[in-house]
Amino acid sequence: MRHWTDSRQSGQWLKEQGVVLGIGDDAAVVEAPRGESGALQWVLAVDTMVETVHFNAATMAEADVGWKALAANVSDIAAMGGVPRHALVSVSVPRAWEPARIRRLYDGLYACAERYGVAVVGGDTTSSPAQLVVAVTVVGTVTAGKAVRRSGAMPGDAVFVTGPIGMAAAGLHFLLAAAGGGEQCVPLAAAEAAGTAALVQAHRRPAPSVRAARMLAARGTVTSLNDVSDGLASEAWEIAESSGVKLALRESQLPLSGSMAAYARRSGIAPLEWMLYGGEDYVLLGTIAAKDAAEAKAALAAEGLPMYMIGTVEEGNAGVELIQEGPHSGWSQAAAKERRVSLAKRGYNHFE
């Protein structure tokens, strides 16, 4: 991989990130960092993106693929309350690719690495028979014993997300429609003209909630975290099952972006479908002690970071319910104020 990555990150900067030996040998060597508030533990995550499964030439340019491949792993580290530090990158490239395309892939990956302070310390490059495959492993750290898991949600906690949901799925819908089955990458200018640029950027260049995660974890009142990669409903079910609780989400409190609402109306699609089941938003879903919810939200807001309270944790069998407020067409008079709907345990599944 050396040919594509040399000199992208300065030796001095890599040293500051604890890199003793980076790209150029059989393996990388990094120093175990020292924590300001005690011993640290390693947090590791790996994610793979496959052409025609996660993207195609019409939906994402090479640099977008590089960005997103790293961002997905950064988000997993954030969901544990950790700090992303080092990355290993494995790329299988179709023989037909020109060198310039590979460089653009790494342009995007290194742009994401710079954004989140991740040192790229090694990897592998091989040929692929047909499709591009990018696999990234990110190593992070967390204060020993302080990793935030999915299993800590407790009755009475507030449920939150750290950003709007459904935007990435709406962006993908626009890109597929705009491409019309063609293989030419849809330019951002086309999305800007259609008022969907924010949706397209949410799909192509997600922004993991690393700062928000660190601030929330430091408060000590967050009881569970999960990143929204496969859809809000799916991630909520994971917390519910891991914690043995019921999550009750309020439809009226789910953060709906204006640009997504407008595009959904034009497309004749209910935005709730994208919000619950779309996925790839890479915001965080979590639970927090109710007594600290308002202060935590204010603390994040002071740093320009969003936090939306979207429901509560309840006792009961593991599950996820959506509270809808009425009256709505077809509701009985008894259900005119609100009703509860059990959410299907579904999201994106590679094997369905």
Side-chain angles (χ1 to χ4, degrees):
M1 196 179 70
R2 176 170 53 189
H3 177 70
W4 306 110
T5 58
D6 270 0
S7 304
R8 298 266 189 156
Q9 296 176 327
S10 72
Q12 179 59 37
W13 185 84
L14 289 171
K15 184 177 180 181
E16 292 170 358
Q17 307 310 308
V19 179
V20 177
L21 183 62
I23 295 168
D25 242 286
D26 288 326
V29 179
V30 298
E31 290 181 330
R34 299 176 181 177
E36 295 179 1
S37 55
L40 296 177
Q41 292 176 323
W42 296 109
V43 186
L44 299 90
V46 62
D47 205 86
T48 303
M49 290 182 63
V50 180
E51 189 176 5
T52 73
V53 176
H54 298 90
F55 63 92
N56 60 42
T59 61
M60 299 180 71
E62 293 89 351
D64 299 323
V65 175
W67 174 287
K68 196 167 185 177
L70 181 59
N73 288 276
V74 168
S75 185
D76 283 333
I77 300 297
M80 303 299 294
V83 178
R85 295 188 181 276
H86 308 117
L88 298 167
V89 182
S90 178
V91 180
S92 296
V93 183
R95 293 181 181 275
W97 272 42
E98 297 292 330
R101 296 187 68 184
I102 307 176
R103 291 191 186 95
R104 290 195 293 270
L105 174 76
Y106 279 104
D107 286 344
L109 188 144
Y110 273 91
C112 185
E114 182 178 356
R115 169 81 172 269
Y116 294 101
V118 177
V120 180
V121 296
D124 191 24
T125 304
T126 68
S127 64
S128 167
Q131 276 79 41
L132 173 70
V133 180
V134 184
V136 178
T137 298
V138 170
V139 178
T141 55
V142 66
T143 301
K146 298 297 184 180
V148 185
R149 304 173 63 181
R150 299 171 181 171
S151 56
M154 296 181 291
D157 287 348
V159 183
F160 66 88
V161 288
T162 58
I165 47 179
M167 293 181 67
L172 177 60
H173 183 277
F174 168 80
L175 289 168
L176 293 174
E183 296 184 357
Q184 194 71 23
C185 188
V186 177
L188 187 59
E192 292 172 345
T196 58
L199 307 181
V200 167
Q201 286 297 84
H203 176 72
R204 289 176 169 172
R205 302 244 174 165
S209 300
V210 176
R211 286 180 59 212
R214 294 297 300 145
M215 289 180 64
L216 290 169
R219 300 184 71 84
T221 54
V222 172
T223 53
S224 70
L225 276 178
N226 204 0
D227 85 316
V228 181
S229 56
D230 295 324
L232 179 67
S234 176
E235 317 302 349
W237 264 98
E238 289 180 346
I239 289 177
E241 290 184 319
S242 295
S243 301
V245 295
K246 180 187 297 182
L247 268 60
L249 311 180
R250 283 197 170 272
E251 181 178 353
S252 62
Q253 294 177 351
L254 299 181
L256 171 64
S257 82
S259 57
M260 189 184 76
Y263 178 66
R265 285 194 299 270
R266 297 201 308 269
S267 303
I269 295 175
L272 190 62
E273 179 71 15
W274 287 332
M275 298 171 76
L276 293 176
Y277 304 112
E280 293 200 317
D281 293 301
Y282 297 109
V283 299
L284 297 178
L285 166 70
T287 57
I288 186 171
K291 64 182 180 181
D292 192 43
E295 289 189 15
K297 181 176 181 178
L300 263 66
E303 297 295 320
L305 302 172
M307 184 181 185
Y308 302 93
M309 301 301 164
I310 63 170
T312 55
V313 180
E314 299 177 349
E315 293 183 350
N317 294 331
V320 182
E321 293 183 343
L322 184 69
I323 302 174
Q324 298 178 314
E325 298 174 358
H328 287 266
S329 175
W331 286 24
S332 67
Q333 186 173 359
K337 290 188 177 180
E338 68 177 37
R339 70 171 181 177
R340 289 182 174 229
V341 179
S342 294
L343 291 184
K345 185 170 56 174
R346 67 178 174 92
Y348 186 79
N349 188 317
H350 286 270
F351 300 101
E352 287 185 350

